Amino acid sequence: VQLQASGGGLVQAGGSLRLACAASGRTFSDYTIAWFRQAPGKEREFVALIGGSGRGSWNDYTDSVKGRFTISRDNAKNAGYLQMNSLKPEDTAVYYCAAGRPILSTKTTPRGYLYWGQGTLVTVSS
């Protein structure tokens, strides 16, 4: 599976962006899709995930984005999305989409995902 993230940019605090993750591969629906982010000087952190086949009930968010971000997927288009509303300066980071078949203990960690997109930069000005 190859992933390509897009949709990043510069936005003022309180604004919105929608990130997209385009995937290749016939088994896209089997994979859990996740978004991670990495700010300068910080470790890559989990943002949100949505389960694939057999993990359809998975829909998790890190606490700092709950109520503001929404993850979704369209298996027919081999795509995943991250709608980000009420953006804050602390949301500034490079955002990465990832795909994999994590287990419960790894679903919010980078090691749970085998495939990664190249990242898209989100900058939120105050």
Side-chain angles (χ1 to χ4, degrees):
V1 175
Q2 291 185 324
L3 305 176
Q4 185 168 0
S6 62
L10 173 63
V11 63
Q12 289 188 331
S16 298
L17 283 174
R18 188 189 193 211
L19 304 184
C21 181
S24 64
R26 295 176 294 173
T27 59
F28 175 77
S29 61
D30 292 347
Y31 292 102
T32 293
I33 301 298
W35 290 90
F36 290 78
R37 65 187 180 187
Q38 189 166 17
K42 295 188 176 181
E43 293 186 351
R44 191 167 300 190
E45 67 168 351
F46 166 75
V47 177
L49 69 86
I50 186 167
S53 301
R55 298 284 189 266
S57 63
W58 285 4
N59 193 211
D60 298 349
Y61 299 88
T62 192
D63 286 346
S64 63
V65 308
K66 284 181 181 177
R68 300 190 297 123
F69 291 11
T70 303
I71 190 171
S72 62
R73 65 189 299 159
D74 185 338
N75 290 332
K77 295 183 179 180
N78 274 12
Y81 305 97
L82 185 68
Q83 178 66 44
M84 306 186 296
N85 299 328
S86 301
L87 282 161
K88 304 176 181 180
E90 51 264 43
D91 294 318
T92 294
V94 176
Y95 283 71
Y96 298 89
C97 62
R101 296 190 175 101
I103 58 176
L104 188 61
S105 62
T106 64
K107 64 176 180 172
T108 61
T109 68
R111 64 189 177 95
Y113 297 85
L114 182 60
Y115 304 105
W116 291 83
Q118 83 286 7
T120 185
L121 177 62
V122 172
T123 304
V124 185
S125 63
S126 58

